[in-house]
Amino acid sequence: MHTITLNAPDDFDGWRAGAKAALLAGLAPEDVLFAVEGQGGGLFADTSPLPPPNPSVKPPTVPKDFIPLAQLTVCHSDPERFALLYRLLHRLQGDRTLLKQRADADTHRINVWAKEVRRDLHKMKAFVRFRKTGETPDGTEQFVSWFEPTHYTVRYGSGFFVRRFASMHWSILTPKGCSHWDGENLTFSDPVPKSEAPADDALEDYWKSYYAAIFNPARLKTQAMQSEMPKKYWHNLPEASLIPGLIEKARERESAMIEAPPTMPLEGMMRHREVAQPDRVQETFPDRDTIKTLDDLRASLKGCRACPLWEPATQAVPGKGPAHAPIMFVGEQPGDKEDLAGEPFIGPAGQVLRGVLSEIGHDPDNIYVTNAVKHFKFEPPPVGSRGKRRLHKNPTVKEIDHCKWWLNREIELVQPRVVVALGGSAVRALTGKSGTIKALRGGAHPLAHRGGALSMVVTNHPSYILRIPEPHRAEQARQGLIDDLRFALSL
Ligand code: URA
């Protein structure tokens, strides 16, 4: 028996080098033992160096699927993982189809372990919560997170946090090893006990109020929620302390939501409309040259009757923000609250947007925010009925295409350098084409526009996040929105 000593429990490079040397030496799986430094393995094994390469052994090769599977499997906490990998590697030299043989015991095991590690990485992304612990002498904020992974996933999973929180200084402390990012270098250190992690701070309150805000009692599926967010993680999540109370109140709140009267009683809506009656009624779009400023546009938009959507709505909702903002966000259409107030993004979707912007340190008031369609489209509550809310209805492609006259003019007047399409209706309005958000996310798309050179960044609409019932998936989607907006703001 020959022992190969690895530097760490997830030392993939060490395993790879050792396994290659053992193969070249012609060692059978039962003759090799992998031990992790400091973990006491291989106490009784022969620690003599590996035999030299055997000239009759051909250099090993592997199918390309093996390396990523091995990288994941090395992170598994089963002590047999290195031996399994070496056995597979050894067998692959005689049978390159082995990884395709799902019924093979070793192939089955590596796939199961890789899947378990992937799940652990996924939990890490969803449940790591940084707490502010202090500042460096130059004022850079420092954050620490305590997390309890099932496997040795910290090293593998830390790249994600480097990309996401590149400008922060942070540490992820775990009982299976720690990672540290100082804005330039990612380093790793030994495990620490939980007592080294800070208990709470101001971010805690932020998480709690965010979580309570996105918690929709009508979508509560307790079992699904607990399987997606296992109780094991609850004690490290600030928002988890709210869960039992929210579940208890959920049924009550759900009935209250169903029973609630329209957001504003009909009479109130009619009164509001009177206030919003325009001086000029526009049966069609105005002459472009008469709209020279955003004030002209707002005044003219008030009287827009260019499509039937004006009729049930309270008022047209123009964009809002600095007249020459370098960046413009385009939503779909005003919601219930926006329709009543005459301002875009002041309801729940706007709250998500503002929360995300302040989290990435950007003042929402520096952004011009507007919509593809300027009137609220909804299911009108039957006259005289109570207990019904005005329910948002998606605008049709025809309505979006028709209304984009206003958006185009807004772009010409504001002349932003970057436009962020929040969801599919905005993409349609900006490009004249219907595209899937998934396919368009993650880059800047040049747009030809009379306003000048323009880059479009596409992301999900914030209300998409509000519709996701499982908290950790909602959080993932929110992190995606953060990434996309951070990218757009960096352009
Ligand atoms: N959703 C939108 O797309 N726009 C708003 O203004 C509000 C909600």
Side-chain angles (χ1 to χ4, degrees), residues 317 331-335 338 343-347 349-350 370-371 422 461 463:
V317 179
E332 180 188 75
Q333 58 164 341
E338 291 80 8
E343 278 189 33
F345 283 103
I346 56 156
T370 191
N371 283 302
L422 301 167
H461 193 284
S463 63

Side-chain angles (χ1 to χ4, degrees), residues 360-372:
I360 57 183
H362 199 90
D363 181 359
D365 293 338
N366 287 336
I367 293 167
Y368 188 92
V369 197
T370 191
N371 283 302

Side-chain angles (χ1 to χ4, degrees), residues 263-284:
T263 329
M264 178 180 260
L266 271 181
E267 317 82 72
M269 276 162 62
M270 297 320 278
R271 230 180 297 126
H272 214 86
R273 272 185 69 162
E274 274 156 33
V275 176
Q277 283 304 310
D279 311 332
R280 268 184 306 157
V281 167
Q282 306 263 155
E283 295 294 345
T284 178

Side-chain angles (χ1 to χ4, degrees), residues 412-428:
E412 285 167 7
L413 293 170
V414 177
Q415 299 202 353
R417 284 196 303 279
V418 178
V419 67
V420 177
L422 301 167
S425 299
V427 170
R428 174 77 207 192

